[in-house]
Amino acid sequence: LMKGSYFFVLIAIVIGNIQATKILGACGGDRLLPLNITEWKKVMVVGAHPDDIEGSIGGLVAQLADQQSEIFYVIFTNGDKGCGASFCANYNTVQIAAARYTEQLNAAAVYGIPPENVVMLDYEDTMLTSYPEQDPRRDLIVQIRKFQPDVVIGWFPYPKFHLRPSQGWDDLGFHPDHQQAGRLTLAAQFDAGVGLLWPDAGPPHSPKAYFQWTFDSEATNYIVLSESNVQKKVAAYLQHKSQYPDAASMTELLKSWGYMTSQEIGISAKVQTEAFVAYW
């Protein structure tokens, strides 16, 4: 480059960083910062199972819905192995999957998300690591190229073994489908912008920002949940009636995860939070 060109390259980099930061909100780096979502117009949230999104980041979805962002759900598995309620105890896997599909649509409707924005990719529950990786990866790329979100959010791609079931974290620290969904989402949000990769999957699209939800000090960003956020999160999760035997106990568990996340990330334990790792 000629010397004069360096100035214009520097200006382009600065402008690009400013635009990205507006979409990202505050990005923590070595600091934990509040997440600014005001510029998030189209957001895709990717879960491994029906109920993952509401249980993990249902408060964020409530905030996005309140500001009238367009929200898309993509769920890798049909949840056909998961039943924690008496009414489905004798269901076969087909019946469980059908019940969970309806539950996911009902949960999304609590936030005002229409059925056409909810995509179930229909892989088997607990089996996501057993498929050739290119299959679910391509399926998610199709959805990213179709809906063209500004921001994609998914599971953190590695286990958190210190978040133990015996300490109240249930399977949030480890579930093979969760981590595989995180790895697939990380790959797909990048691959969706590569035009020569599966060109028949739609025109390329690169989201402006990617976040992984987490529950511990690895977080770069967080949101504090208002009482109305918590109420909406709980109302949405309770639509997943096959996943709990008792609504009151499930409500307390959901709230406990918010308080425990606050403790893990070093925020006041008097508030409920949801936490994220920014990657851009």
Side-chain angles (χ1 to χ4, degrees):
L1 291 174
M2 294 187 299
K3 289 183 179 179
S5 301
Y6 286 112
F7 174 77
F8 296 103
V9 171
L10 178 60
I11 292 298
I13 292 171
V14 170
I15 292 172
N17 284 342
I18 290 172
Q19 291 175 335
T21 301
K22 286 177 69 178
I23 289 291
L24 274 168
C27 177
D30 347 355
R31 296 182 299 157
L32 178 69
L33 295 174
L35 185 63
N36 179 2
I37 64 171
T38 55
E39 297 292 327
W40 293 17
K41 305 304 182 187
K42 297 177 71 175
V43 182
M44 177 174 287
V45 191
V46 184
H49 313 100
D51 89 326
D52 281 2
I53 296 170
E54 290 79 22
S56 300
I57 57 167
L60 173 66
V61 178
Q63 291 186 12
L64 291 168
D66 286 345
Q67 70 176 27
Q68 299 186 319
S69 299
E70 192 171 10
I71 305 166
F72 307 97
Y73 277 10
V74 180
I75 314 296
F76 276 111
T77 79
N78 57 22
D80 65 347
K81 310 297 192 304
C83 166
S86 58
F87 78 84
C88 57
N90 294 318
Y91 280 13
N92 60 33
T93 56
V94 174
Q95 292 170 313
I96 293 173
R100 299 199 70 182
Y101 177 76
T102 299
E103 290 170 354
Q104 184 61 85
L105 293 181
N106 292 341
V110 171
Y111 299 112
I113 302 171
E116 59 268 25
N117 286 17
V118 179
V119 178
M120 304 281 283
L121 297 181
D122 207 31
Y123 290 92
E124 284 189 57
D125 192 358
T126 75
M127 295 290 288
L128 195 54
T129 58
S130 302
Y131 294 94
E133 184 176 311
Q134 67 178 15
D135 294 347
R137 184 167 140 233
R138 184 187 185 282
D139 287 346
L140 181 54
I141 288 170
V142 168
Q143 302 307 320
I144 293 172
R145 290 177 176 177
K146 174 183 177 182
F147 292 114
Q148 300 192 333
D150 302 316
V151 179
V152 173
I153 310 172
W155 275 101
F156 192 79
Y158 301 107
K160 303 276 190 174
F161 290 126
H162 59 287
L163 304 180
R164 301 173 184 170
S166 60
Q167 296 174 339
W169 288 103
D170 198 60
D171 62 6
L172 298 182
F174 174 72
H175 186 302
D177 286 345
H178 294 171
Q179 282 72 57
Q180 182 71 350
R183 288 188 287 271
L184 290 166
T185 306
L186 176 62
Q189 60 84 31
F190 176 86
D191 293 340
V194 181
L196 293 178
L197 179 64
W198 290 309
D200 60 327
H205 173 73
S206 296
K208 296 181 176 69
Y210 173 60
F211 285 85
Q212 303 156 340
W213 67 74
T214 189
F215 307 91
D216 62 8
S217 59
E218 202 154 357
T220 58
N221 302 92
Y222 70 95
I223 60 168
V224 174
L225 305 187
S226 68
E227 184 57 35
S228 65
N229 296 156
V230 174
Q231 290 175 359
K232 187 67 69 70
K233 176 178 182 172
V234 169
Y237 189 89
L238 292 182
Q239 301 304 310
H240 296 281
K241 299 180 186 301
S242 66
Q243 297 306 292
Y244 57 87
D246 174 65
S249 297
M250 190 67 238
T251 298
E252 290 308 307
L253 181 61
L254 290 168
K255 292 180 178 180
S256 74
W257 291 339
Y259 291 121
M260 290 161 65
T261 299
S262 297
Q263 290 180 305
E264 286 284 332
I265 66 176
I267 302 296
S268 170
K270 295 181 180 180
V271 298
Q272 296 180 54
T273 59
E274 292 171 356
F276 305 87
V277 178
Y279 181 80
W280 62 293

